[in-house]
Amino acid sequence: MSIPTAPSPPRYWRGIPQHYRLEAVKAESGEVMFPPRAVASDGSHSSELYALPHEGSLIAFTILHEAIPGFAVDPPFAVGIVELSDGTRLSAQITGVNLDQISIGMPLRYAFRKLQEDGVAGTIIYGYKFVPNAESAED
Amino acid sequence: MREVAIIGIGQTRFGELWERSLRDLWAEAALTALDEAKVPRIDAVYVANAASALLGGQQHLGSLLAGHIGLAEVPATHIEAAEASGGAALRQAYIAVAGGMADYVLVGGVEKMTDLESEYQGYIQTTFGDQDFEGFNGITSAALYAMIAQAYLAEYGATREQMAMVAVQAHAHARHNPYAQFTNQIKLETVTRAPALAEPLRMFDAAPNSDGAAAIVLAPADEARKRGLPIVTIAASAQSGDLLALHSRKTLTSFPAAVRAAQAAYKQAGVTCSDISVVELHDAYTIAALLALEDCDFFARGQAGAAVEDGLTAISGRVPMNPSGGLKAQGAPLGAIGIAQVVEITRQLRGTAANQVPNARVGLTHNVGGVGGTAVVHIMKGEQP
């Protein structure tokens, strides 16, 4: 038995604002939520959309040697938790850099990349990855 | 609230049990527990299972599994909270008896993992995280625990070898456990030189995929005492939750849900961590055991690795941890984990465990779903007639 590991087309389409544009939600309290949540930590309900900054730095990472079937790159590849310049954190693949040159604190920026191939109904899945932010590194 | 006792336990061997089905495993554990409990009837059944829909294409487990053991008409409900399904189901069963809605309740956990091709096993654990924001990006359960391990080692200066000792101890503890998946003994180098999963974690840092089941029968403690036998009571049943995605939390080196559940359990039971004789902690990965030891307050932050290295979590140590071998060596059939932990603590408090902690009086179980989205802590007390 095999099971689909990619989202169905409608589920993928619904996620496009987040996965293509890093669209988060901001509560009245100022809390930024990514993934967006219906209710914030202080109980406030808010649906104000908020565009996340595209630059940040790496706060945790690992080199994956076993991956889920269907991903566009074969292991080993890097994944990490990125803290964006406004303090919001997200999880992403780290690419565009040799695996042995990835380090905590390295400056990163958003990149639009292919994540999965041959998903349900042949969909190709795109989303965000993070790459070294050369401009910032030269500062 | 009525006091609640455990009056029957059952467990299958854990492992790659190719010849046995979900129903077979459930029946063996449940019928063993019912045979021991000898209750006049069963008022409710709770089934803990984490992923049967994906692993075997089967849902509606309450009806299926109650019917399979002659209890087709009894209210039977499936509880799911990832790897914490067992702890969460036991808590629902406890609430039913403590609250007086039921007298005799069967709660069992079961998972049949080996019917799914192994390349999809990693995907199953990914479904316990935030699928749209972690799994979507290729981030597996091993990746999340690897980042936790990286942060822990960096923050506290703990060593890779201390983390690996958790696995070495797990295999040592499982050596004489007739239910264990792995009774072979391993060396430190077995762990540190194993194939990489997600750095710094390697294959022997991870609990295996397992088939298996465990079951418990609960009854009001007053009634259990009339039998004139040693009994085990549930002194505390506590659960807490957290945001599902690891990146949404402020800390990577603790599971706040586990801290909250442990503190609530200590308060309910009227004990502190120093009163606990034996623990079964959720060691899905070696690093998880270190977090668990600290989240349950047994050691100060950053000290658990040294404690394991110094033998403080061995059977003769101050905090005997996972005498069964834990998830790492006894095995980790997802939905059965939390029930099997309490089954082992019950054996310990009865004085009948294969790897017995001398004079065990009070035991604690710590069961985690995903990377701390759910945490359940139970405290049990042994009582002589």
Side-chain angles (χ1 to χ4, degrees), chain A residues 5-98:
Chain A
T5 56
S8 68
R11 182 175 181 177
Y12 171 55
W13 296 334
R14 288 197 303 272
I16 281 177
Q18 289 85 46
H19 296 304
Y20 284 18
R21 298 194 295 273
L22 294 187
E23 194 172 276
V25 160
K26 190 171 189 174
E28 288 161 16
S29 62
E31 182 183 7
V32 176
M33 296 174 285
F34 191 81
R37 306 197 303 271
V39 180
S41 302
D42 68 347
S44 63
H45 295 226
S46 174
S47 58
E48 186 194 336
L49 298 179
Y50 170 88
L52 288 170
H54 282 197
E55 298 186 334
S57 62
L58 188 62
I59 65 159
F61 74 97
T62 182
I63 311 300
L64 263 184
H65 292 266
E66 285 190 5
I68 299 161
F71 275 80
V73 290
D74 289 326
F77 62 83
V79 298
I81 295 178
V82 181
E83 184 167 291
L84 301 173
S85 57
D86 69 345
T88 308
R89 292 178 177 185
L90 52 74
S91 305
Q93 287 183 34
I94 311 301
T95 191
V97 56
N98 289 334

Side-chain angles (χ1 to χ4, degrees), chain A residues 1 11 19 34 62 65 91, chain B residues 54 117 132 197 199 247:
Chain A
M1 188 175 99
R11 182 175 181 177
H19 296 304
F34 191 81
T62 182
H65 292 266
S91 305
Chain B
L54 290 165
E117 294 156 29
D132 285 345
L197 281 180
E199 295 169 19
H247 73 242

Side-chain angles (χ1 to χ4, degrees), chain B residues 86-111:
Chain B
L90 175 62
R91 190 159 182 279
Q92 293 306 310
Y94 168 85
I95 289 167
V97 178
M101 284 290 285
D103 288 328
Y104 310 109
V105 175
L106 170 67
V107 53
V110 59
E111 207 75 51

